[in-house]
Amino acid sequence: MVRIESRQTLSERVAGQLRTRISEGEFPVGSLLPSENALAEDMGVSRNCVREALRALVHSGLLGARAGYGTFVVSTSDVAPTLARHVGEHSPETPEDVAEVRAILEREGARLAADRATGEQVAQLQAALAPRQEATSLSEYARADIEFHRLLMEASGNSLLAELYRGIRGNEQALLDFVDPAVDVADRDSRLVEIDDGHRAVVAAVAAHDPQGAAEAADRTVALVRRYAAQLRGEEVE
């Protein structure tokens, strides 16, 4: 039997090292990576090698890149990007399937966060409420909501749960799949007021270390968001 050895290129080894550093928390989700030059010097390789490695990680969904901003961490493992692709537009799952799983993860994430969140994490959640209310367009509101839920899932202390949730995206992100992201939300109607109140109730329960209260507040908020999204899409709501 002939044994065929698979040899990694240098850029593949660099990509592997960066994966490890990201998964170990050196570069958390949302953080900017050092420049290509800095990484090349740090890892003892050429800038072109680093560029190839970063390109591969962007393609896999672990990193994101934006002109004029840099390369940033999108996920700490391949779980979220893989799941995101699976529940994409060609997914065999229905939107209702995805919504049900998202609701389960939100409920459990809130419950665990109420039991495990540190004082710093509670303060971050409280601060994350403000950008939601300051948003003037639906796209701004969605981004603020995604950040809120990212912090909530991280406060759960369960990294796999956080990755699973990230893979199916934050709750209001689903709105952008169906409606104009430029929808004006500066003048809060009663529906958004209820949704914002629901998120404040989740944070209050987490701060009070009330797991049951947090889970119930998350359930109520999910129901309100789903109802609001359906109304924006012009669907009949019971």
Side-chain angles (χ1 to χ4, degrees):
M1 179 183 294
V2 178
R3 183 178 179 183
I4 301 176
E5 294 186 2
S6 174
R7 296 187 177 181
Q8 285 187 315
T9 65
L10 183 56
S11 65
E12 287 173 337
R13 291 202 296 272
V14 170
Q17 291 174 24
L18 287 172
R19 283 178 186 273
T20 299
R21 294 170 70 174
I22 290 169
S23 67
E24 290 179 348
E26 182 177 347
F27 304 119
V29 171
S31 65
L32 275 173
L33 261 62
S35 68
E36 290 179 358
N37 284 336
L39 285 172
E41 182 177 350
D42 178 48
M43 304 179 82
V45 296
S46 71
R47 181 178 176 182
N48 283 340
C49 183
V50 169
R51 183 178 294 122
E52 287 181 25
L54 294 177
R55 199 172 290 150
L57 295 178
V58 169
H59 181 72
S60 73
L62 208 66
L63 300 178
R66 192 158 65 241
Y69 181 72
T71 305
F72 51 94
V73 180
V74 174
S75 179
T76 56
S77 79
D78 290 323
V79 172
T82 300
L83 183 56
R85 287 192 293 270
H86 184 72
V87 298
E89 63 176 300
H90 301 300
S91 168
E93 287 78 25
T94 67
E96 187 63 24
D97 290 336
V98 177
E100 287 176 355
V101 172
R102 184 182 295 124
I104 292 168
L105 294 176
E106 284 206 32
R107 175 185 174 85
E108 189 61 15
R111 188 186 70 80
L112 290 173
D115 191 45
R116 300 172 177 174
T118 65
E120 180 180 356
Q121 288 172 325
V122 170
Q124 289 174 340
L125 283 169
Q126 291 169 333
L129 292 171
R132 299 169 54 89
Q133 295 187 300
E134 294 166 359
T136 58
S137 69
L138 190 59
S139 60
E140 289 179 1
Y141 189 83
R143 285 193 294 271
D145 185 77
I146 290 167
E147 175 62 10
F148 173 88
H149 286 283
R150 181 186 72 79
L151 292 170
L152 181 64
M153 294 301 125
E154 287 186 359
S156 75
N158 187 313
S159 58
L160 180 56
L161 186 149
E163 281 294 295
L164 290 172
Y165 189 84
R166 192 174 293 119
I168 56 175
R169 300 172 300 172
N171 214 7
E172 268 75 14
Q173 175 66 41
L175 296 177
L176 301 184
D177 296 334
F178 302 102
V179 300
D180 181 357
V183 168
D184 187 354
V185 296
D187 295 325
R188 293 293 191 267
D189 63 21
S190 60
R191 299 169 301 178
L192 276 183
V193 169
E194 282 187 309
I195 290 171
D196 288 339
D197 286 346
H199 283 78
R200 278 194 291 272
V202 171
V203 175
V206 170
H209 299 291
D210 177 6
Q212 184 61 30
E216 291 174 356
D219 279 343
R220 288 193 299 271
T221 304
V222 167
L224 289 169
V225 169
R226 291 178 68 179
R227 182 182 180 88
Y228 180 52
Q231 290 172 334
L232 286 179
R233 295 193 298 268
E235 298 174 0
E236 292 284 339
V237 179
E238 296 180 1

